[in-house]
Amino acid sequence: MSGDPERLTSRELVPSRIKPIAVAGFAVIVAGGALPGYPGAPAAAVAALVAVAAAAALVYVPRLPLLAAAVATAAIAVEGDALSSDIGWLAACLLAGWCVIVVSQRVGLIYWAAIMILFAVEWLWIRPDPGWGAWLAGSTLTVLFALMIRHQIDLNAQLRAAQAGLAARARIQERNRIARELHDVIGHTLVVSLLHVQSARLAVEHDPADAARALAEAERLGRECLAEVRMTVGMLREDEGPAAGEAATAPLPGVEALPALVEQFQSAGADVTLTMQGDTGGLPVTTGLAVYRIAQEALTNAAKHAPGRPTAVRLSVGAGRVTLTADSRAEPGSVARPGNGLGVVSMRERAESLGGTCEAGPGGQGWLVRATLPLDASLRAAP
């Protein structure tokens, strides 16, 4: 359904099965007004047929609603023969309500103003009768109630459009989150595995045992990466099954996994040190995961762009916030060259999703990544 109330079509507002019922009800009212008006006269029958045909055109082909309503009203006027007691005038009230609800408020108000003039002319100049006041009041009340109904319809349309927008944004955010997970997991594993493979290639002739150990570690990392990728891709599945359930309950890495992460890089020959200060045991799960992924991405970038150079990782918890820094001796130009900004964007998005900040650029020994997250995981950045 269109989110713009003015663009709601008759098909969206009125189900197809209601239209013949509306035309039939209109025909019954018009026929009821024609029977006592001109007994046996063909003029009443012809006027009734014209009114019903114009009303059917208004219901089924609302391209020229004012013209169809005007033709139907003129036929009703001929049939009514200026008698305020003719029940056929009720059909004009129904046309006013239909125009407001189904066509548009503007068209309905224009038609209401026209029949107000018609009733006033009938009352004042053609056949003075206080009964016309009842039709004036009845038409006005009909339009007022129709305006209230149309207002509710418009509100419902706006609500559905807002809900659809929220759902679309939620899907985009979820896809971005899964893309970040895949990027971090695959990028980290490939870089560390490559380091192990390089070590094995260098040691295969002089130290076969060390080469075998490096290859085994690369194989283990590949299996872990495959498991994490399966878990992350499982988030995209809409059906529920054993695999989806296992993926949903699989533990995610946190701050407690940082030493193992650093050890992976160290075992691959990278010069990485880790310093942790403060109480890291009480961090929220979401904060711990963000800290782990940011450290993982920072170390991956350091190993990729500054191989063999030392990197110092420092985690500090206190004063209502968590601060993570990764200081490497990488040349700023080697890390920040065009085409390699996805990891930096991923780290920034993770921090901002928790109401924190993450900056990466020249600083420290050469290239510094600094992330600051609030301890309260309920704090979120403003949308």
Side-chain angles (χ1 to χ4, degrees):
M1 175 176 288
S2 173
D4 187 354
E6 291 298 327
R7 295 183 180 180
L8 294 175
T9 64
S10 60
R11 179 178 299 178
E12 294 172 320
L13 289 169
V14 182
S16 299
R17 64 180 182 276
I18 299 298
K19 294 181 179 180
I21 299 176
V23 175
F26 182 87
V28 169
I29 295 174
V30 171
L35 291 177
Y38 292 97
V46 173
L49 289 175
V50 171
V52 173
L58 175 63
V59 171
Y60 285 99
V61 191
R63 297 180 181 226
L64 298 172
L66 285 176
L67 178 61
V71 172
T73 305
I76 293 171
V78 172
E79 174 197 312
D81 193 27
L83 295 175
S84 64
S85 59
D86 192 285
I87 193 65
W89 294 110
L90 179 60
C93 298
L94 296 180
L95 285 176
W98 182 273
C99 288
V100 171
I101 296 175
V102 178
V103 183
S104 71
Q105 297 181 14
R106 182 179 62 84
V107 171
L109 290 176
I110 292 174
Y111 179 77
W112 168 77
I115 61 174
M116 289 295 100
I117 295 174
L118 173 62
F119 289 146
V121 169
E122 294 276 7
W123 188 358
L124 298 177
W125 287 286
I126 297 179
R127 184 169 295 182
D129 186 347
W132 295 111
W135 291 117
L136 287 167
S139 299
T140 302
L141 288 175
T142 301
V143 170
L144 288 177
F145 283 119
L147 287 172
M148 294 172 60
I149 295 173
R150 179 64 190 233
H151 180 66
Q152 292 299 319
I153 292 174
D154 293 345
L155 288 180
N156 289 336
Q158 293 172 6
L159 178 61
R160 284 191 288 269
Q163 291 175 337
L166 289 174
R169 284 193 292 273
R171 287 193 294 270
I172 292 173
Q173 292 174 358
E174 181 65 12
R175 285 197 296 267
N176 290 340
R177 184 182 70 83
I178 294 174
R180 288 196 300 267
E181 292 292 330
L182 289 174
H183 172 271
D184 294 346
V185 170
I186 296 176
H188 159 71
T189 304
L190 289 179
V191 168
V192 178
S193 297
L194 181 60
L195 292 176
H196 282 293
V197 172
Q198 290 176 342
S199 298
R201 180 176 58 83
L202 296 175
V204 67
E205 296 181 358
H206 307 288
D207 193 349
D210 186 63
R213 181 196 61 79
L215 290 175
E217 182 66 15
E219 180 183 4
R220 185 187 66 80
L221 289 173
R223 293 182 183 276
E224 288 184 358
C225 176
L226 181 60
E228 287 199 54
V229 169
R230 284 176 176 172
M231 180 186 69
T232 305
V233 173
M235 299 176 186
L236 297 172
R237 295 179 59 87
E238 296 181 357
D239 58 335
E240 294 182 1
E246 293 172 3
T249 58
L252 294 173
V255 173
E256 68 283 351
L258 282 179
L261 175 67
V262 171
E263 185 179 350
Q264 287 181 2
F265 283 92
Q266 291 173 342
S267 64
D271 185 0
V272 182
T273 59
L274 172 65
T275 304
M276 301 176 66
Q277 293 181 341
D279 183 13
T280 61
L283 293 181
V285 175
T286 51
T287 303
L289 176 62
V291 169
Y292 180 87
R293 292 303 189 198
I294 292 174
Q296 184 183 56
E297 180 63 27
L299 290 175
T300 300
N301 287 338
K304 185 191 305 182
H305 300 294
R309 299 183 182 180
T311 301
V313 179
R314 179 184 178 89
L315 177 67
S316 176
V317 180
R321 62 182 182 179
V322 182
T323 303
L324 174 72
T325 59
D327 188 3
S328 63
R329 291 186 181 175
E331 293 294 334
S334 66
V335 181
R337 64 178 182 267
N340 290 273
L342 183 58
V344 175
V345 172
S346 176
M347 291 188 292
R348 185 182 302 117
E349 288 179 347
R350 286 186 182 277
E352 291 177 351
S353 68
L354 297 175
T357 59
C358 183
E359 299 176 353
Q365 303 178 43
W367 185 263
L368 179 66
V369 176
R370 180 183 179 86
T372 303
L373 306 174
L375 278 178
D376 187 358
S378 64
L379 296 177
R380 296 291 186 269

